[in-house]
Amino acid sequence: MNSIQQLQATFELIKLERQADLEQYRQKVLLRSLSQRTKEGVTWYPVRLKRDYIGTGERIIIELDRTNHLDQPHSFQSGKLVSLFSNASGKPEKEHVNGVVNYVSDNTLVMTVNGDDLPSWIDDGMLGVDVMFDDMTYKEMEHAMKAVMKADANRLAELREILLGDAGRENPELSNSPSKVLLVQASHQNPESSNQNLTASSNLNSSQNGALQRILTTPDVAFIHGPPGTGKTTTLVQAILHTVKIEMQVLVSTPSNAAIDLLVEKLSEQGLNVLRIGHPARVTEQTLSKTLDARIAAHPNFSELRLLRKKLEQLRGMASKYKRNFGHHEREQKRLLKEEVRLLKSDADLLEFYIVNDLLNTAQVICSTLVGSSHPVLRGKKFKTVFIDEAAQALEPACWIPILKSERVVFAGDHCQLPPTIKSTDAVRAGLSKTLFEKGIEKYPDRSSMLRVQYRMHQHIMKFSSYYFYKDELIAHESVRNELLRPNQSPIEFIDTAGCGYTEAQDPETLSRFNEEEAQLLIQLTEKLIEDIGPEEWLEQNLTMGIITPYRAQVDHLHKLAEASGILEPLHKLITINTVDAFQGQERDVIAISFVRSNDKGEVGFLSDIRRTNVAMTRARKKLIMIGDSATLGSHPFYVELLEFLQKEEFYKSAFEIGD
């Protein structure tokens, strides 16, 4: 297929994904009664208005308390679109106002309300909050893909052909096109900058420096392949720092708010002027001061803008006092007030436009999520380079949104870790999960730089992952190579439950899997490990542990067991229990994995996505514990090789050897 046909196929898959997402929302929210929605965790009802106040960027923020189902799991999280409603009117069409969740903590929800005023019905009581369907993401992706398909005889068309077509290395004319030699031109214009940028960075190792050089010399697309613990973020930050010295300004984008906020933090630490585009409710407290709203409020001209807006509201209030039944004089007064309001609004809009453009023009790095790069303030703005981090977790259509604004693209990620989250199984089967990063890295292995030195894991914890996923090319840095919890302790333990009768079960409501006996054994093993080290020493050394499982039902079960444990509960601040997906990008001193699956049919379910297992195993620094049923896992070739490795290295034990 040519590039246009590929894009058309992907365009159809995004439609499938949108339908699946909407259907899931319909089933959970639209087609359920209020009590069902509350039980499902997609609605909080009733809630109590605790307080309201003006937050960043003059936005109205409200704090709500949940008053029942206090231990009920729910779908609310930072950045989610929500709708606050009241049932007090008794009408079928309930009063509502939309907004965005700032954060959720226990039974308190803080949200930023859309609009300039609180609704009049908010004091009527009977309040609730619904999770909403976010259609804007799909609209922006579809708009971007249409623009890419239509592109003709311009830079976007060139990038499309380089990434998806037959252009690039095979087309010397395109490779040497004048619009693509941006860094080379910049180097000639500023020789001092060139010498500084095209030399090795003392902060990086040799493979990181190799990636840096490739980025600084590529005219079109480059790829940083960062396996676990290899310092991808460090390398990317240095590449951005060097590129800014040449180009003055770059765009940096990621699929998630959490990933972009991390980069905002790291880039700010380097002394760069960073501007974070996005709703203040969707950013962390650490990066709030870098948001456009916060920067507008801190601008020298903001006090003037605030005065204009205050006067504007006063005049609007005065004008609204004139009712319909009044004479010529009152009518004239209202007309004059309206005219003054119009002129003041024009002045305020002009001043705000000036402030925003001043901030945009002076920023060295503009950061946003992929979808956030379509923000109205960036409309018409062009960048020489866009950096896309966590690109292996980004849907292709979302990546095209920032590429529309750019002449050169640098992707960073690891396609051997978690793929994008996709709700439509049909779309996954048809190829939507294959990212632009993965396509590009396959097409241009010579434009990809894999980082090889990892700074996280003991060499044995790294070994199988390096062999299976990374061509056996990873090297454990000397600072971590032999790091153990205690001298002479085994870095890995695999406990085989085959023949123990530890059979998996399925939650009838969520259809998620769990394995009670396996969970109990895992908790016993972690308790023993802590007792061997000593709980006091564990606390003193501030040792961290992650208990990971692919299944949400098993997470819930492990939580209950850990809370009931006299050994684990006092250390709960150092122990995290969650799904594999929640641990992407994180690390712990100890990782314990429960594989859950144990059945006569040898079904491994989504354990067959071996990238999840790669993520789970490579979170551990000093100790990795795994529990699973070899009879079930052995039906998949990846786990056959893993089990052979564990037996060969003497990290394998049967559960029968452990005893009670």
Side-chain angles (χ1 to χ4, degrees):
M1 285 196 290
N2 64 30
S3 62
I4 305 292
Q5 289 168 329
Q6 288 178 61
L7 286 161
Q8 189 59 55
T10 305
F11 188 82
E12 294 305 316
L13 295 181
I14 273 295
K15 285 184 182 175
L16 270 183
E17 174 62 4
R18 184 187 177 281
Q19 286 166 6
D21 200 358
L22 181 57
E23 184 54 33
Q24 199 174 94
Y25 174 75
R26 277 169 49 78
Q27 294 295 335
K28 278 189 169 181
V29 180
L30 300 182
L31 301 178
R32 301 285 176 101
S33 68
L34 183 56
S35 60
Q36 284 175 319
R37 296 201 312 272
T38 306
K39 192 179 175 187
E40 284 282 326
V42 292
T43 297
W44 277 15
Y45 183 84
V47 294
R48 179 177 65 88
L49 178 63
K50 196 172 176 183
R51 65 184 182 123
D52 63 87
Y53 54 95
I54 301 296
T56 308
E58 304 293 289
R59 296 174 187 256
I60 298 169
I61 294 175
I62 60 173
E63 198 170 307
L64 303 163
D65 276 347
R66 179 163 61 154
T67 57
N68 67 355
H69 297 280
L70 300 184
D71 58 348
Q72 186 78 30
H74 59 78
S75 307
F76 291 87
Q77 60 189 52
S78 299
K80 282 265 191 185
L81 287 177
V82 290
S83 177
L84 174 73
F85 64 85
S86 171
N87 275 338
S89 67
K91 297 173 187 172
E93 286 297 313
K94 56 182 183 263
E95 307 274 12
H96 72 278
V97 63
N98 297 339
V100 178
V101 176
N102 290 39
Y103 66 85
V104 183
S105 170
D106 297 326
N107 295 296
T108 298
L109 182 145
V110 178
M111 66 177 276
T112 301
V113 178
N114 294 349
D116 299 327
D117 299 300
L118 276 176
S120 57
W121 46 261
I122 200 159
D123 295 320
D124 295 346
M126 297 180 74
L127 299 175
V129 193
D130 284 327
V131 170
M132 287 181 69
F133 178 69
D134 184 6
D135 199 36
M136 189 52 66
T137 298
Y138 293 101
K139 285 179 179 173
E140 293 298 347
M141 288 193 287
E142 288 176 3
H143 169 76
M145 294 204 74
K146 284 175 184 174
V148 178
M149 286 188 273
K150 283 178 189 171
D152 185 30
N154 60 12
R155 183 59 178 156
L156 182 59
E158 288 178 359
L159 287 173
R160 177 190 69 212
E161 295 310 311
I162 290 163
L163 284 163
L164 298 177
D166 299 323
R169 286 178 306 168
E170 300 84 355
N171 191 335
E173 282 182 25
L174 189 59
S175 287
N176 295 321
S177 80
S179 63
K180 292 172 63 189
V181 289
L182 300 164
L183 284 185
V184 179
Q185 286 174 352
S187 302
H188 289 314
Q189 288 163 12
N190 187 353
E192 188 182 337
S193 167
S194 167
N195 294 335
Q196 199 173 9
N197 282 286
L198 298 178
T199 54
S201 169
S202 58
N203 300 327
L204 304 179
N205 62 43
S206 58
S207 68
Q208 291 171 332
N209 266 312
L212 176 64
Q213 298 311 311
R214 191 177 297 280
I215 289 163
L216 295 175
T217 54
T218 188
D220 38 52
V221 295
F223 304 88
I224 302 176
H225 182 193
T230 53
K232 172 178 64 69
T233 303
T234 302
T235 309
L236 193 62
V237 165
Q238 285 299 312
I240 292 165
L241 193 64
H242 282 66
T243 307
V244 164
K245 287 174 185 172
I246 298 170
E247 298 179 354
M248 308 311 290
Q249 188 179 74
V250 298
L251 176 63
V252 178
S253 209
T254 69
S256 72
N257 285 292
I260 199 64
D261 284 342
L262 174 66
L263 277 172
V264 168
E265 207 176 313
K266 299 291 184 189
L267 291 164
S268 299
E269 285 170 8
Q270 295 293 321
L272 289 168
N273 180 347
V274 182
L275 183 63
R276 166 74 156 97
I277 304 296
H279 199 297
R282 290 191 166 101
V283 306
T284 60
E285 276 188 56
Q286 290 86 343
T287 57
L288 195 58
S289 63
K290 309 295 177 188
T291 60
L292 183 61
D293 288 61
R295 296 287 291 279
I296 289 171
H299 194 275
N301 294 95
F302 180 70
S303 55
E304 189 184 340
L305 178 63
R306 201 169 190 174
L307 281 171
L308 278 172
R309 283 180 178 161
K310 196 173 179 182
K311 194 172 179 185
L312 197 60
E313 286 309 306
Q314 287 170 346
L315 288 169
R316 274 185 180 145
M318 286 166 67
S320 67
K321 286 176 185 174
Y322 289 100
K323 306 296 178 190
R324 287 184 181 180
N325 301 321
F326 49 66
H328 171 75
H329 176 71
E330 287 83 358
R331 211 164 25 243
E332 183 61 15
Q333 280 293 102
K334 184 167 186 177
R335 188 190 67 76
L336 289 170
L337 283 168
K338 279 192 163 184
E339 179 61 18
E340 200 172 343
V341 165
R342 190 185 65 77
L343 291 169
L344 268 178
K345 188 178 185 307
S346 176
D347 288 347
D349 289 348
L350 199 63
L351 184 54
E352 186 169 4
F353 179 78
Y354 162 74
I355 292 171
V356 168
N357 275 279
D358 185 42
L359 292 169
L360 286 171
N361 292 334
T362 53
Q364 293 171 295
V365 186
I366 293 176
C367 292
S368 72
T369 60
L370 298 170
V371 176
S373 65
S374 64
H375 195 286
V377 297
L378 296 180
R379 198 164 286 144
K381 196 158 178 62
K382 292 287 181 185
F383 300 87
K384 287 182 180 176
T385 304
V386 59
F387 289 85
I388 299 178
D389 193 16
E390 301 298 352
Q393 279 193 285
L395 287 171
E396 180 187 325
C399 283
W400 287 113
I401 301 171
I403 295 174
L404 293 180
K405 301 177 181 299
S406 314
E407 298 181 41
R408 195 175 77 104
V409 195
V410 177
F411 296 92
D414 180 13
H415 53 296
C416 301
Q417 293 189 62
L418 290 177
T421 303
I422 299 171
K423 293 181 170 72
S424 167
T425 50
D426 290 341
V428 170
R429 278 196 289 267
L432 186 60
S433 59
K434 188 157 189 180
T435 61
L436 211 46
F437 177 85
E438 198 173 348
K439 290 176 184 178
I441 221 165
E442 281 177 11
K443 186 177 180 183
Y444 299 114
D446 57 324
R447 299 189 195 196
S448 163
S449 301
M450 189 176 91
L451 308 180
R452 288 178 169 76
V453 182
Q454 67 83 15
Y455 298 85
R456 176 183 296 162
M457 295 163 269
H458 186 283
Q459 58 185 336
H460 289 311
I461 296 173
M462 172 200 79
K463 195 172 180 181
F464 181 76
S465 184
S466 175
Y467 151 74
Y468 197 93
F469 293 99
Y470 306 109
K471 302 176 187 171
D472 221 4
E473 292 179 6
L474 294 189
I475 302 157
H477 188 261
E478 59 185 20
S479 63
V480 298
R481 190 176 299 149
N482 298 304
E483 277 291 295
L484 294 165
L485 281 177
R486 294 179 77 178
N488 304 317
Q489 190 182 60
S490 174
I492 303 176
E493 286 179 61
F494 179 88
I495 313 301
D496 187 2
T497 65
C500 293
Y502 291 6
T503 308
E504 67 183 69
Q506 191 171 31
D507 186 298
E509 281 192 27
T510 64
L511 304 182
S512 182
R513 311 261 169 182
F514 63 95
N515 189 321
E516 286 188 30
E517 294 92 347
E518 187 175 290
Q520 285 165 359
L521 181 59
L522 183 66
I523 294 297
Q524 284 168 24
L525 287 169
T526 54
E527 286 175 333
K528 185 176 185 305
L529 181 68
I530 290 166
E531 283 185 313
D532 288 349
I533 301 286
E536 296 81 10
E537 196 175 331
W538 193 280
L539 271 169
E540 199 177 306
Q541 291 185 37
N542 212 34
L543 295 171
T544 57
M545 180 188 291
I547 299 177
I548 302 181
T549 178
Y551 294 94
R552 171 54 61 188
Q554 187 77 336
V555 169
D556 295 340
H557 201 66
L558 286 161
H559 264 297
K560 285 173 189 167
L561 292 171
E563 283 165 12
S565 165
I567 296 164
L568 299 189
E569 209 286 324
L571 304 173
H572 71 273
K573 288 185 179 175
L574 296 170
I575 300 170
T576 313
I577 304 173
N578 219 324
T579 58
V580 182
D581 298 49
F583 272 93
Q584 172 97 336
Q586 298 186 43
E587 56 187 65
R588 298 290 188 275
D589 293 309
V590 180
I591 288 290
I593 304 169
S594 165
F595 285 112
V596 177
R597 300 311 295 260
S598 180
N599 54 73
D600 296 336
K601 296 175 184 175
E603 290 177 351
V604 294
F606 64 66
L607 284 181
S608 59
D609 187 345
I610 57 176
R611 291 173 291 185
R612 270 195 168 77
T613 305
N614 184 35
V615 170
M617 294 191 301
T618 55
R619 302 305 97 197
R621 294 190 196 111
K622 301 173 182 179
K623 177 83 174 176
L624 174 63
I625 301 168
M626 296 180 278
I627 300 187
D629 178 352
S630 64
T632 301
L633 295 174
S635 64
H636 192 286
F638 167 79
Y639 295 100
V640 170
E641 289 203 50
L642 175 61
L643 289 162
E644 284 173 358
F645 162 79
L646 293 163
Q647 286 175 323
K648 183 184 170 189
E649 298 286 342
E650 298 183 350
F651 298 141
Y652 172 94
K653 280 182 191 172
S654 167
F656 292 113
E657 293 175 51
I658 296 169
D660 293 328

